Amino acid sequence: MELLELYRRLREHFGHRHWWPGDTPFEVAVGAILTQAVAWRNVEQAVAALREAGLLDAPALAAFPEESLARLIRPARYPRQKARKLIAFADHLQRRHGGSIERMLTGSSGELRRELLALWGIGPETADSILLYAGGHPVFVVDAYTRRILHRLGWQPAEAPYDRLQAFFQERLPQDPALYNDYHAQLVALGHRLCLARSPRCDGCPLRRDPPLCRFGEATG
Ligand code: SF4
């Protein structure tokens, strides 16, 4: 199957990615909320500031003033918006699950996804990152890298909606959270290092030849 061959080549090239970094499911969820539209190194700074302030904990975060939180997480950009999202998430955990993300994550994938998407500021990519990386649910995460790469491969149109791209993977791959976990991380590595938005580095890409998997890379080679 081409999707497994794609993964095999990326894994061979980049090695296992050991993603997502985080000591606890709550920390992983906080990272998933903070990472939108910013580089990971900025998220790391914000998470370190939260750790230092004792805020990697739902009850403490839910009770923290929004403006002070925004100041703490400034390195992650859009601090006011992201502070509001973090507090909404922590407050939800407090009210509905006794402050325990572990308890929340025991629900079914479908129900949990709907529950997360109903929270202020949580979109499909964030919800699915929490489900997969914090909860080990078999849910494939789609991001801007995924969309760009699938389009260049010639497998999906550039404007394909999130759910269609997610189904593309989920309908063709075994329902395996460990595979989904590293597969998404491999696509991030490819998009970040080689398949750049402008001037992709196709010469060093493992998808270009033997045999070619990428329509764009083949046409420009
Ligand atoms: S061959 Fe080029 S366009 Fe295709 S996936 Fe690799 S870097 Fe991207």
Side-chain angles (χ1 to χ4, degrees):
M1 184 203 288
E2 281 197 316
L3 273 180
L4 284 176
E5 172 61 11
L6 175 64
Y7 174 69
R8 191 193 64 73
R9 289 204 206 174
L10 294 177
R11 169 87 183 244
E12 201 173 292
H13 189 82
F14 293 114
H16 192 281
R17 305 305 302 151
H18 303 289
W19 200 248
W20 182 300
D23 291 339
T24 63
F26 188 73
E27 184 177 328
V28 171
V30 165
I33 290 169
L34 290 176
T35 198
Q36 301 307 309
V38 71
W40 183 253
R41 62 179 174 278
N42 298 62
V43 176
E44 285 178 322
Q45 287 176 36
V47 169
L50 291 174
R51 185 179 295 110
E52 188 143 326
L55 293 173
L56 288 178
D57 165 72
L61 194 56
F64 204 69
E66 193 175 305
E67 276 197 17
S68 309
L69 183 60
R71 274 197 295 278
L72 271 180
I73 62 167
R74 196 181 302 279
R77 296 180 67 195
Y78 310 108
R80 281 178 179 278
Q81 207 183 69
K82 289 183 178 177
R84 198 173 153 199
K85 289 182 191 183
L86 286 176
I87 288 175
F89 177 67
D91 186 58
H92 175 77
L93 283 179
Q94 272 290 83
R95 285 186 291 103
R96 181 127 176 223
H97 301 284
S100 168
I101 189 171
E102 288 82 359
R103 197 179 303 169
M104 182 187 86
L105 289 168
T106 56
S108 78
S109 306
E111 275 175 26
L112 269 175
R113 193 169 193 265
R114 280 190 289 280
E115 182 179 330
L116 287 167
L117 288 174
L119 297 179
W120 188 84
I122 303 280
E125 185 186 338
T126 308
D128 292 338
S129 298
I130 294 171
L131 287 171
L132 177 63
Y133 289 103
H137 286 263
V139 174
F140 202 92
V141 177
V142 170
D143 65 358
Y145 292 137
T146 316
R147 179 170 281 107
R148 183 161 79 225
I149 292 163
L150 286 189
H151 174 57
R152 286 182 174 159
L153 292 173
W155 294 358
Q156 287 290 327
E159 69 286 353
Y162 187 100
D163 289 350
R164 173 174 165 167
L165 297 179
Q166 184 178 56
F168 181 74
F169 288 95
Q170 292 187 177
E171 287 168 5
R172 290 167 178 78
L173 292 172
Q175 256 205 353
D176 177 355
L179 174 64
Y180 289 5
N181 176 322
D182 193 52
Y183 206 134
H184 171 68
Q186 297 291 342
L187 292 174
V188 171
L190 177 63
H192 182 64
R193 298 187 193 177
L194 298 174
C195 199
L196 310 179
R198 291 181 208 166
S199 314
R201 299 169 178 157
C202 300
D203 275 346
C205 181
L207 309 183
R208 190 177 211 179
R209 300 196 176 85
D210 305 323
L213 279 182
C214 178
R215 195 164 65 185
F216 183 98
E218 203 181 355
T220 57

